[in-house]
Amino acid sequence: MTVQNPTATSSSADGAGLTPDDVEGTAAGLVDVLGAIDDDGWYSTIEVVRPWSAENPRLTGEFSRTDAIRRYMRRELAALLRAGARITVRPARPALPFDDPSFFAALDEDRVDVRSKKLFLFGPERMGLSVDRLGHYTGTAAEAFQRHVIFTNYAMHVEAFLERYPDAVVPSRPGAQMPAYHHLTDDGDGVSLVNIGVGPANAKTATDHVAVLRPDTMIMIGHCGGLRNHQQKGDFVLATGYQRFDHVLDEVLPLNVPVIPNHRLNTFLLEALEAAGAEYRIGTVHTTDNRNWELNQRTTLAAMQASRSVAVDMESATIAANGFRYRVPNATLLCVSDKPLHGSPKLSAGAQQFYEASKRQHLGIALSALDRVRREHPGGLPSQEIRSVDEPLFGGPSDT
């Protein structure tokens, strides 16, 4: 295959020589060059020189499909320019087609050197694949995703979302495996809702690819089995920790690694619950990969009791664990739909009434918390607890 030289050339900017009014336009120009390199069929390289860092003054990273993360890139590059960084973008190498054997090899995250600082968590091959897969699974373009992503596994939350946002972008075709719906804003800080279906495998698949878009938040809103006697159907559960019996990430994230929700996002959810006058309980959520765990109870019950779990579901810990792996602030707000330990299983007869009563309030509480994130943290939530010292994502002077 003959590859033409890219028409887009390199571009550089020195933040130390820019006025505050020039920063945003300069960052936008750099992102435009990245997009032009993509259009030419090449991967791009970003080189960042950080004068404030004695140990890691120069960071580089390769990128692709940057239109899918255009607003994120503009924000992060602008932050670096304000801090006085020098940034260069240029073509790196021809983009690999998906059927190239070397493309498959480049996807292996086990080959990433976690001991060295890097500019971005994902290589260009991984970015290209995830952008393509998101379109396939969700029925919407990755470019439509907003800075805040809510996951659900119920069509009723989709109905409530579309009632609130009737002009939302919807899947372009019927039958999408994980249909997504997007409330767009001019700044890209709107909300995307993804119906991931049931189970930890789906939760992993969705978050594997959404993480490449670098969302500011991920929130799981779903139903759970309440495990405490004094819970009622319709009560909420705000997770403060997870017991990981989902198993899908055990090989890449050992069970002895603590995984907790983002504290500030949880605080916003807690205050939204109280403002709504909702009944709720906070505590550990037990996530299982066995929908019929009630048929083989001994091991699961022992684990629930040992962890003092207040609820059981099939997705929350998986989303939280992948949020931890990929440094995305996340939280879980569930609603009790049944009480398996107290003679109140989930049965079809009363399900519709329960769903209708809970769906708008459930979604509304999550959206209220995201409104606060948008107002108080337009640059993204603090995420020090999930950012490794060896792996900054862009990052300003605080990341030496």
Side-chain angles (χ1 to χ4, degrees):
M1 179 179 67
T2 301
V3 179
Q4 300 294 325
N5 290 327
T7 58
T9 58
S10 63
S11 181
S12 298
D14 188 345
L18 297 175
T19 67
D21 291 340
D22 292 334
V23 168
E24 290 291 340
T26 302
L30 291 171
V31 175
D32 287 342
V33 174
L34 292 171
I37 295 171
D38 288 337
D39 291 342
D40 285 337
W42 283 60
Y43 296 142
S44 56
T45 289
I46 300 178
E47 180 184 75
V48 178
V49 177
R50 310 185 302 169
W52 59 82
S53 177
E55 297 180 353
N56 298 279
R58 178 177 278 100
L59 296 175
T60 62
E62 287 189 330
F63 294 81
S64 71
R65 303 296 296 270
T66 47
D67 273 349
I69 53 172
R70 171 175 287 270
R71 293 182 182 89
Y72 171 80
M73 298 288 281
R74 285 182 58 177
R75 186 179 77 186
E76 297 301 306
L77 293 178
L80 285 165
L81 291 172
R82 289 191 191 95
R86 298 192 300 275
I87 302 173
T88 301
V89 301
R90 60 178 181 271
R93 54 191 171 95
L96 296 174
F98 287 176
D99 58 359
D100 188 315
S102 58
F103 182 93
F104 176 80
L107 299 174
D108 187 1
E109 293 179 351
D110 290 338
R111 296 168 35 164
V112 176
D113 181 7
V114 299
R115 297 168 298 175
S116 62
K117 282 184 178 288
K118 53 185 62 66
L119 193 61
F120 203 62
L121 286 178
F122 305 100
E125 295 86 357
R126 174 77 153 81
M127 294 176 69
L129 179 68
S130 287
V131 167
D132 185 79
R133 289 270 175 93
L134 282 170
H136 169 72
Y137 285 124
T138 70
T140 61
E143 288 80 358
F145 273 78
Q146 300 293 287
R147 303 302 316 141
H148 304 287
V149 182
I150 295 177
F151 297 107
T152 184
N153 43 26
Y154 286 95
M156 65 166 188
H157 289 136
V158 174
E159 294 171 3
F161 189 84
L162 294 177
E163 286 177 8
R164 184 183 281 264
Y165 305 119
D167 295 330
V169 173
V170 302
S172 60
R173 65 180 191 278
Q177 183 176 342
M178 300 180 188
Y181 307 82
H182 311 280
H183 169 54
L184 307 183
T185 65
D186 291 340
D187 293 330
D189 60 355
V191 181
S192 295
L193 177 77
V194 186
N195 185 351
I196 60 175
V198 177
N202 281 4
K204 179 183 183 299
T205 297
T207 50
D208 278 345
H209 300 308
V210 166
V212 169
L213 305 181
R214 310 312 307 150
D216 288 347
T217 60
M218 298 191 306
I219 299 179
M220 175 64 193
I221 62 170
H223 291 161
C224 62
L227 301 179
R228 298 299 176 88
N229 183 47
H230 293 293
Q231 288 172 306
Q232 303 296 324
K233 288 183 180 180
D235 289 358
F236 290 97
V237 171
L238 181 63
T240 56
Y242 305 91
Q243 188 170 42
R244 294 171 49 205
F245 268 49
D246 54 323
H247 300 304
V248 295
L249 289 167
D250 292 1
E251 292 183 2
V252 293
L253 188 67
L255 291 174
N256 61 1
V257 176
V259 174
I260 60 173
N262 178 272
H263 174 71
R264 196 156 310 197
L265 183 54
N266 248 25
T267 298
F268 292 165
L269 285 167
L270 179 62
E271 292 176 0
L273 282 165
E274 293 179 341
E279 295 292 330
Y280 67 89
R281 186 182 288 264
I282 64 173
T284 299
V285 172
H286 176 101
T287 296
T288 178
D289 60 354
N290 181 3
R291 178 59 189 87
N292 296 316
W293 63 267
E294 300 96 329
L295 307 183
N296 303 97
Q297 300 176 7
R298 181 185 303 175
T299 300
T300 301
L301 283 176
M304 290 175 177
Q305 292 166 357
S307 64
R308 277 72 165 178
S309 291
V310 300
V312 55
D313 83 334
M314 297 189 68
E315 298 85 20
S316 294
T318 311
I319 290 171
N322 246 2
F324 178 86
R325 289 178 66 217
Y326 294 134
R327 287 94 169 136
V328 180
N330 62 86
T332 298
L333 179 66
L334 304 176
C335 188
V336 175
S337 60
D338 59 293
K339 297 178 62 183
L341 306 185
H342 303 95
S344 184
K346 186 187 295 185
L347 300 174
S348 59
Q352 196 59 44
Q353 181 180 0
F354 160 75
Y355 293 159
E356 195 64 30
S358 67
K359 65 182 182 182
R360 294 178 185 85
Q361 186 183 38
H362 198 169
L363 177 67
I365 290 169
L367 293 175
S368 177
L370 293 179
D371 282 342
R372 286 196 60 186
V373 175
R374 195 177 293 110
R375 291 194 309 269
E376 299 181 22
H377 299 279
L381 283 166
S383 58
Q384 293 91 335
E385 74 275 16
I386 53 176
R387 286 182 64 175
S388 166
V389 295
D390 295 327
E391 295 183 284
L393 305 180
F394 289 98
S398 62
D399 294 310
T400 58

